[in-house]
Amino acid sequence: MSRRPIVLLPEALRNQIAAGEVVERPSSVVKELAENSLDAGARRVDVELSRGGLALIAVQDDGGGVPPGELALAVTRHATSKIASAADLWRIATFGFRGEALPSIASVSLLRMTSRFPGEPEARYVEVENGRLRDEGPAALASGTRVEVRGLFQSVPARLKFLRSEATEARRCQDILMRMSLARPEVAFSLTLDGRESFRLPPGQDLAARLARFWPPAVCQGLRPFDFGLDGARARGLAGDPATAQGRGERILCFVNGRAVQDRLLTRAARNAYQGRLLTSEFPQLALFLELPPDEVDVNVHPAKLEVRFRDEGAIFSLVRRALLQALEAMAPTAFFEVPPSSGERESAPAPSQRSLPVEPPKFGSYREFRSSYGESPAVPFSSVSGGVPWPDDPPPPRPQPPAAAPAPVSLGDSGLTYLGQVADTYLVLRTPDGLALLDQHAAHERVLFENMRSGRTRGESQPLAVGLELDLHPSEAELLEEIGADLRRLGFGFREAGAGRLALTAVPPGLDAGKAMEYFRAAVSGQSRNLAGLWTMLSCRSAIKAGDVLARDEALALLSAWLDCPERDYCPHGRPALVAFNEADLEKLFKRK
């Protein structure tokens, strides 16, 4: 390899190299231009995209504008009005400050910037193509600034190969704008995609109202506010109910002094606060706003300004964790306790269980038949229910019967296990060749149902409904349905459009009643699963028998038989252990015999 002399790179090439750090995709352009609008004091930001931003990105605002003599300077590298000295880097109060965004964008596109400064008789524009000033002059614009970016990356086609589909790139742009709108609720935002308005947010909305435009109702209804301050720092926002957790972390939104960031410390603090309330594969919904003195955080870490560094990471971790625990502890535990009947209401008999084990039918047609085979429990005199005073026409109480003998242990074939009984209405007790084991009935049934779905419910088998069930779809739910609709059909759901923003459920997976099917369908389109396996996991978890369910002996044996036939049976689909075993050495250690 021959040696080349050291030379200065051409300015256009230097700008294109720098653009690789700032402009990764169309959403990067939307972010930088919208941030400039907010820094200019805009009260309205309108964004227009064509072909996912590859053909056109237009951002228009009603901000302060740029003086005519500074327009050409605005598209020059390292030219900015936001900082003037090194000391300013430690008290940054604006989104932008590096002076790189506009020249970087202009180096890989055709950029036209039109602005009208207050007091000027007319607006002016400047046009730059692939880093070279092409034209400038007077223009028509009532106020503010409009920036149009066309043909993004056409001069560097290698960059186009790393982009996703136009629809995916448009969703990324929408996500960026959504985050900005949450940080600045006093500003109006709108987004138009290929001539169709995607959303329009009025100014002055609160955080919950803005989130409701982007997150489904099932998620937003479980959000709880929090606000906690300590030593000059403050953490506030909305935290989601653990019951609405999902399999993706895309709804953990973090802001530092109004700037949307991706920070591992804040995410780790949030996961720590939710510890014990979520499975390891689940993520909460969270909108976290951290406010602290500018000199306590360094935002000059990455050209895209998506990362920050805190002076005291331990204090920030503790602040966020305590703030979230405040919200979690205040949440009503509706998922764990039933509301008692109001005074004057007669308690009705509990509804029959809806559980259904996907195994051979039990040997007994009813619990009464089962008890008659193994012995009845002692009868309870009616007088004990009515306060001990018999009614005049009460029949004489039956004579107490001796307690039935405990059923004998049952060997489970060639597995080497013997079923001994149920403890705490949750665990099945098993004798093993070298000790003892406890099987979590919920986790075991989850595994059975999951394997049932994986082996038999991917063929699109459905149970048609006589009358379609209609439901309203939130825009975010309709968007997600386009992604997972095929998976839902393979799972056994049938559905069709029933008008603008409405859907009719026409078929459900075999074995599910319409009400449960509707509940699972809604959970799926709300984002609580990310793929077909996630849907199976969600369905199996919600359909499985629960802790506290009393199992008749034939039900327990049927469950054990089905569980023993499952692959990966030692764990539930979430990854929790289904079986905990104790060998002789473990038992001796527990009893301190050795």
Side-chain angles (χ1 to χ4, degrees):
M1 178 179 175
S2 60
R3 182 184 180 281
R4 293 181 177 178
I6 299 175
V7 298
L8 286 173
L9 293 175
E11 183 179 358
L13 182 55
R14 293 201 302 267
N15 285 340
Q16 287 191 352
I17 293 173
E21 298 178 331
V22 179
V23 187
E24 299 180 74
R25 53 191 350 112
S27 58
S28 305
V29 177
V30 171
K31 173 182 177 294
E32 298 292 346
L33 297 182
E35 285 183 344
N36 282 345
S37 295
L38 295 175
D39 285 342
R43 307 292 296 180
R44 190 196 76 249
V45 179
D46 299 313
V47 180
E48 180 183 350
L49 302 179
S50 179
R51 292 185 50 212
L54 296 178
L56 170 68
I57 299 174
V59 177
Q60 184 166 341
D61 64 61
D62 61 350
V66 181
E70 298 179 10
L71 269 178
L73 196 59
V75 292
T76 303
R77 191 164 173 77
H78 299 311
T80 181
S81 63
K82 297 166 186 176
I83 61 173
S85 66
D88 292 340
L89 289 174
W90 294 103
R91 48 175 181 268
I92 292 173
T94 56
F95 288 112
F97 58 90
R98 300 172 65 99
E100 293 181 316
L102 285 175
S104 295
I105 296 168
S107 68
V108 290
S109 68
L110 171 61
L111 181 145
R112 181 185 176 98
M113 180 176 177
T114 306
S115 187
R116 183 171 183 177
F117 193 69
E120 292 294 327
E122 62 182 0
R124 293 190 65 85
Y125 80 93
V126 62
E127 195 169 88
V128 183
E129 184 174 20
N130 298 328
R132 294 184 297 273
L133 183 63
R134 196 170 84 164
D135 199 6
E136 58 181 322
L141 187 67
S143 64
T145 301
R146 178 179 175 87
V147 181
E148 297 179 358
V149 177
R150 300 181 185 273
L152 185 63
F153 298 137
Q154 294 302 314
S155 60
V156 281
R159 296 291 299 275
L160 295 172
K161 298 178 182 179
F162 292 90
L163 299 182
R164 308 296 291 272
S165 68
E166 294 178 2
T168 299
E169 296 299 336
R171 281 195 295 271
R172 289 177 182 267
C173 294
Q174 176 174 302
D175 183 69
I176 286 290
L177 207 58
M178 177 266 288
R179 292 170 189 258
M180 287 190 176
S181 73
L182 297 179
R184 300 294 295 273
E186 75 278 7
V187 179
F189 289 84
S190 72
L191 174 64
T192 301
L193 301 175
D194 296 314
R196 179 179 59 85
E197 186 174 276
S198 177
F199 65 78
R200 181 172 296 276
L201 305 174
Q205 287 182 302
D206 60 20
L207 179 60
R210 289 229 157 154
L211 273 176
R213 175 56 187 79
F214 302 103
W215 288 1
V219 172
C220 292
Q221 290 168 6
L223 295 175
R224 295 294 183 273
F226 62 91
D227 194 334
F228 182 76
L230 186 66
D231 297 333
R234 178 188 180 197
R236 62 177 181 85
L238 294 171
D241 192 318
T244 63
Q246 61 178 44
R248 294 181 288 190
E250 61 188 11
R251 290 190 183 135
I252 298 179
L253 309 180
C254 299
F255 301 82
V256 177
N257 290 344
R259 184 189 305 275
V261 299
Q262 298 170 353
D263 188 81
R264 293 182 180 179
L265 175 73
L266 299 181
T267 303
R268 193 166 70 249
R271 294 297 299 271
N272 185 276
Y274 277 85
Q275 190 172 8
R277 295 174 170 88
L278 300 179
L279 298 173
T280 55
S281 59
E282 292 180 328
F283 295 85
Q285 292 92 3
L286 172 66
L288 167 67
F289 293 83
L290 184 63
E291 300 169 4
L292 66 165
D295 59 354
E296 292 293 321
V297 57
D298 183 5
V299 300
N300 189 27
V301 177
H302 188 274
K305 305 181 290 294
L306 290 174
E307 301 174 12
V308 295
R309 185 177 293 120
F310 300 104
R311 186 187 296 273
D312 189 345
E313 293 188 347
I316 296 301
F317 183 94
S318 177
L319 173 72
V320 172
R321 180 179 179 276
R322 291 176 65 180
L324 291 176
L325 286 175
Q326 176 191 82
L328 291 171
E329 291 169 0
M331 289 183 183
T334 54
F336 308 100
F337 300 97
E338 293 183 359
V339 179
S342 59
S343 59
E345 288 185 0
R346 289 187 62 180
E347 290 191 27
S348 58
S353 171
Q354 296 295 322
R355 68 173 185 257
S356 172
L357 296 175
V359 291
E360 293 298 320
K363 296 178 295 183
F364 308 102
S366 66
Y367 187 75
R368 182 184 299 276
E369 292 181 22
F370 168 78
R371 292 303 298 165
S372 65
S373 297
Y374 288 101
E376 292 285 340
S377 57
V380 180
F382 181 79
S383 58
S384 67
V385 180
S386 57
V389 180
W391 292 94
D393 55 351
D394 274 352
R399 298 170 62 181
Q401 301 294 321
V410 179
S411 176
L412 302 175
D414 299 331
S415 66
L417 302 175
T418 300
Y419 174 60
L420 302 179
Q422 185 187 35
V423 63
D425 296 339
T426 299
Y427 306 102
L428 305 185
V429 185
L430 306 171
R431 185 167 62 214
T432 66
D434 61 349
L436 187 73
L438 296 176
L439 180 70
D440 184 327
Q441 65 191 35
H442 175 71
H445 197 198
E446 274 189 295
R447 173 55 65 181
V448 171
L449 290 170
F450 181 87
E451 296 302 333
N452 238 25
M453 294 176 192
R454 180 155 64 180
S455 62
R457 287 191 177 175
T458 58
R459 299 189 296 268
E461 296 177 354
S462 297
Q463 175 182 334
L465 298 176
V467 179
L469 301 176
E470 292 195 2
L471 66 157
D472 294 319
L473 282 185
H474 187 272
S476 65
E477 294 175 328
E479 185 176 295
L480 183 57
L481 182 59
E482 293 182 5
E483 296 182 24
I484 66 172
D487 287 343
L488 286 169
R489 293 187 189 280
R490 284 196 295 271
L491 196 58
F493 286 100
F495 49 87
R496 57 176 172 77
E497 290 187 6
R502 291 188 63 79
L503 192 81
L505 202 61
T506 58
V508 299
L512 282 183
D513 62 67
K516 284 291 184 184
M518 176 75 83
E519 177 187 342
Y520 301 155
F521 187 89
R522 178 67 81 180
V525 297
S526 294
Q528 296 184 36
S529 59
R530 52 186 168 184
N531 50 34
L532 189 57
L535 290 172
W536 292 337
T537 301
M538 179 188 68
L539 283 171
S540 63
C541 180
R542 300 195 177 196
S543 302
I545 56 178
K546 302 296 187 289
D549 285 350
V550 179
L551 298 187
R553 171 158 291 233
D554 59 324
E555 289 182 311
L557 293 175
L559 173 58
L560 286 166
S561 176
W563 173 75
L564 285 170
D565 290 336
C566 290
E568 304 175 16
R569 62 174 177 261
D570 288 339
Y571 297 89
C572 79
H574 296 102
R576 291 193 304 106
L579 186 76
V580 176
F582 306 89
N583 58 28
E584 184 178 356
D586 295 328
L587 294 173
E588 289 178 336
K589 187 181 298 183
L590 287 172
F591 286 98
K592 299 185 183 296
R593 297 177 64 89
K594 284 188 179 180

